[in-house]
Amino acid sequence: LQRRGNIVVYNNYDDYKTSNIGLGTTWQNAGGVTKLVNNKLILFFDGNKNTLKRQIREGLAKILTDNILFGDDIGEFASNAALLDLPQWLVDGYVEYIAEPWSTEKDDDLKSAILSGDYNNFYQFAFNKPTLAGHAFWYYIAQNYKPENVTYFLYLARLYKNLNTASLKICKKKFKDVLADFMVYEEDRYVQDIKQRRNAPRGKLSV
């Protein structure tokens, strides 16, 4: 970050709603009701420390993402925002991944979606469940093309202003082919997992 990020935490939701921070400016949501105004992260404490930690992680990840994609300077931000046409699921998924790379809960959600038979391709999946699809995509990149290439992929997309170029450099494939591979890979992974569970001897733990 070129500028310091600031975190503003209100004691309750009412105080948060009546905040005048960001009035007259465009602000974004990150992690539910968390506001982002420039480099300010604005949220409220609901009494749950785990929720607060998650909101802070997601908010900071969003600030970092905006800096990677659009730059910190206002002129640079406007220029890159006009030229970049990244899918929202890709950006939101990256924020989710940076905040929490993966979890058992996310894996269960992805398993249910992939094995539901509702999606013939990734684009249908991303249209219906954009955040989950984006999060799972970046986790797939980390697992199959090294974790350090997750942010590098996004950086290359900004540098060349082209997802295909970034994909070819990281994955050696066109972006649409990577998405197709994702669907095949995930379905095969979950089908194999079910088969192994069914074939596991009764009364024994399968590791």
Side-chain angles (χ1 to χ4, degrees):
L1 289 175
Q2 299 299 315
R3 291 184 293 128
R4 182 180 61 185
N6 297 296
I7 301 174
V8 180
V9 182
Y10 287 96
N11 288 325
N12 53 62
Y13 184 71
D14 288 338
D15 289 347
Y16 163 86
K17 288 293 289 183
T18 57
S19 167
N20 62 2
I21 297 178
L23 286 178
T25 63
T26 300
W27 57 270
Q28 300 169 323
N29 264 8
V33 293
T34 305
K35 284 184 185 179
L36 290 175
V37 182
N38 296 323
N39 268 31
K40 290 186 178 69
L41 171 61
I42 306 165
L43 42 84
F44 70 95
F45 183 53
D46 67 354
N48 188 317
K49 291 183 178 179
N50 290 329
T51 300
L52 181 63
K53 288 178 181 178
R54 177 182 57 78
Q55 289 180 333
I56 291 174
R57 285 199 306 266
E58 290 181 358
L60 291 176
K62 178 61 179 170
I63 291 173
L64 290 170
T65 302
D66 283 348
N67 273 264
I68 291 171
L69 289 177
F70 307 118
D72 191 61
D73 178 77
I74 296 298
E76 185 183 13
F77 189 101
S79 174
N80 285 320
L83 292 171
L84 278 174
D85 187 23
L86 298 179
Q88 195 61 45
W89 62 261
L90 190 76
V91 177
D92 291 345
Y94 178 80
V95 171
E96 291 284 322
Y97 173 83
I98 295 301
E100 183 181 35
W102 202 236
S103 67
T104 301
E105 181 183 357
K106 290 292 183 182
D107 202 64
D108 288 341
D109 291 342
L110 180 61
K111 181 178 182 179
S112 296
I114 293 295
L115 297 182
S116 68
D118 293 337
Y119 311 111
N120 296 320
N121 55 60
F122 185 90
Y123 297 102
Q124 292 179 350
F125 176 35
F127 179 81
N128 195 40
K129 297 182 179 293
T131 304
L132 176 61
H135 193 167
F137 168 79
W138 289 116
Y139 181 66
Y140 169 81
I141 293 296
Q143 293 295 104
N144 291 275
Y145 298 100
K146 300 180 181 180
E148 57 266 32
N149 279 330
V150 169
T151 297
Y152 189 47
F153 191 115
L154 202 63
Y155 168 77
L156 290 175
R158 175 203 172 183
L159 181 66
Y160 294 104
K161 295 180 173 58
N162 189 292
L163 279 172
N164 264 330
T165 302
S167 183
L168 286 167
K169 287 186 176 292
I170 298 293
C171 309
K172 312 303 179 188
K173 297 178 180 180
K174 290 183 178 180
F175 188 60
K176 67 177 182 179
D177 293 331
V178 175
L179 298 182
D181 286 351
F182 167 91
M183 297 297 287
V184 173
Y185 172 87
E186 298 297 352
E187 182 175 3
D188 183 66
R189 180 165 73 91
Y190 290 126
V191 168
Q192 291 302 319
D193 178 64
I194 291 174
K195 287 181 178 180
Q196 289 177 5
R197 291 175 184 274
R198 286 176 177 172
N199 293 333
R202 292 179 178 272
K204 293 184 179 181
L205 178 64
S206 177
V207 179

